[in-house]
Amino acid sequence: MAPRRPKGAGAFPKPVESPAPNPPDPNALYAALDLGTNSCRMLIAQPKGSQFHVVDSFSKSVQLGHGLERTGRLSRASMRRTVSALRVCQQKIERHGVRRMRLIATEACRRAQNARDFIRAVRRETSLELEIIQPEEEARLAVISCAPLVSTKTEQLLVVDIGGGSTELVWIDLSSVPRRDRPAAIMRLHAGFHPPESPFPAAKVVDWISVPLGVATLRDQFSDVEDDSARYALMSWFFEENLSEFAPYKDVQAREGFQVVGTSGTVTTVAASHLGLRRYDRTKVDGLRMTSDQIDAVIRSYLEMGPAGRRRDPRIGQDRQALIMSGAAILQALLRLWPTDRLSVADRGLREGLLYAQMSADGVLEDGPL
């Protein structure tokens, strides 16, 4: 059974203990690093109004979780690749003189038997202090990163973060929040899914779940199935079975007033394929809305291509071709349950959530529309 928030659990811990002086410095730089099962990503940014301006970034496929499903441990090769990438991050942090930062690790480090040894090695080799966060905080960070994409017409919101090792789903009821306040109400969840009493209208978290299946772990579950289409179908139905404990699972929602926001490399790749982009363009992908039918058409085209065709496709490529089908299997399972004409594509995720949470805690973001 997928891990989930225990009934009656309290609010999440505060996202960060702010080291900021009083009053906080609005010109300070912040760093946010997300070490996942497949990738190491970092943003360095400066507060700007109610948003932030990215000063520097880093992203590299490190495949930290390669072989984890079989051995239960992080391999030496995976750890070497990851430490090498983290050295680059540490150099960027030093070059910019960043003092406020949060550096997190997710599912691969949650599951690996030797994760603590790895964290110590990272500290020794790079001086970076990685923090392994729990699934509920990962879900919260994904939600607040997507706040700017929430429509003022949305009454029921499903945020989906498809990672390498796990997938987080959060269902939020916005029906009691005035339309103009709905994106801001999502943003206020940085204080926890069940924040204390506030004079502001509140978004209600109906339920959330962290399924320990992401694009890498789901693929590994069915690596022995040779037929491409059969493997895809098995992955999709297996993922759906793991959603049975999710409270809104059987609720049929009208498409009107219902929005899904998807954040992951899977969703952005499907969007780029739908648009026919020869070269990825974040400005065209982030915030794009797609229908269930459009997504189904893209996934069918992936299956028709087969593995060789997917490798040659510039929007997918050699590295992602194996992972795109497990991600597509997750996405299609969700759309079988909750078809929508308003899936919003988010080229954003935990890094942005970390930055919003840190800056909000320090009080350096201006009030106003997101």
Side-chain angles (χ1 to χ4, degrees), residues 241-319:
E241 287 178 1
N242 279 265
L243 291 177
S244 60
E245 295 299 312
F246 191 45
Y249 177 82
K250 295 180 180 178
D251 291 351
V252 178
Q253 299 289 336
R255 292 193 179 197
E256 184 66 29
F258 174 53
Q259 181 181 6
V260 180
V261 178
T263 171
S264 71
T266 295
V267 179
T268 56
T269 300
V270 167
S273 295
H274 169 67
L275 293 173
L277 300 180
R278 302 300 296 177
R279 177 174 296 182
Y280 187 80
D281 185 343
R282 183 183 188 276
T283 62
K284 293 180 179 178
V285 170
D286 187 49
L288 176 73
R289 291 186 180 178
M290 297 182 67
T291 67
S292 300
D293 292 341
Q294 289 170 334
I295 293 168
D296 283 342
V298 171
I299 294 174
R300 282 197 304 272
S301 74
Y302 289 166
L303 287 168
E304 290 166 2
M305 288 180 195
R310 294 194 295 269
R311 285 190 199 98
R312 292 192 298 268
D313 190 295
R315 292 165 290 264
I316 303 172
Q318 182 78 30
D319 292 340

Side-chain angles (χ1 to χ4, degrees), residues 160-224:
V160 180
D161 179 15
I162 306 172
S166 65
T167 299
E168 281 67 46
L169 288 81
V170 184
W171 193 290
I172 301 169
D173 183 350
L174 293 165
S175 58
S176 63
V177 180
R179 285 192 172 195
R180 67 182 182 279
D181 295 331
R182 286 172 183 174
I186 296 293
M187 185 64 199
R188 284 193 288 275
L189 292 174
H190 77 85
F193 280 169
H194 300 276
E197 289 297 321
S198 166
F200 299 106
K204 178 186 176 185
V205 176
V206 177
D207 198 10
W208 68 271
I209 190 171
S210 179
V211 182
L213 293 168
V215 294
T217 46
L218 183 59
R219 175 201 60 188
D220 291 347
Q221 289 270 356
F222 295 93
S223 59
D224 59 335

Side-chain angles (χ1 to χ4, degrees), residues 213 218 222 229-244 249 326 328-330 332-334 336-337:
L213 293 168
L218 183 59
F222 295 93
S229 295
R231 183 171 57 251
Y232 171 78
L234 287 168
M235 289 190 296
S236 189
W237 288 109
F238 182 69
F239 183 83
E240 183 177 337
E241 287 178 1
N242 279 265
L243 291 177
S244 60
Y249 177 82
S326 50
I330 292 172
Q332 196 163 61
L334 298 173
R336 274 200 305 271
L337 298 170

Side-chain angles (χ1 to χ4, degrees), residues 79-94:
M79 290 191 287
R80 280 198 300 270
R81 286 193 301 269
T82 304
V83 168
S84 178
L86 289 170
R87 282 199 191 100
V88 177
C89 295
Q90 187 261 345
Q91 291 164 5
K92 287 177 176 284
I93 288 171
E94 283 197 351

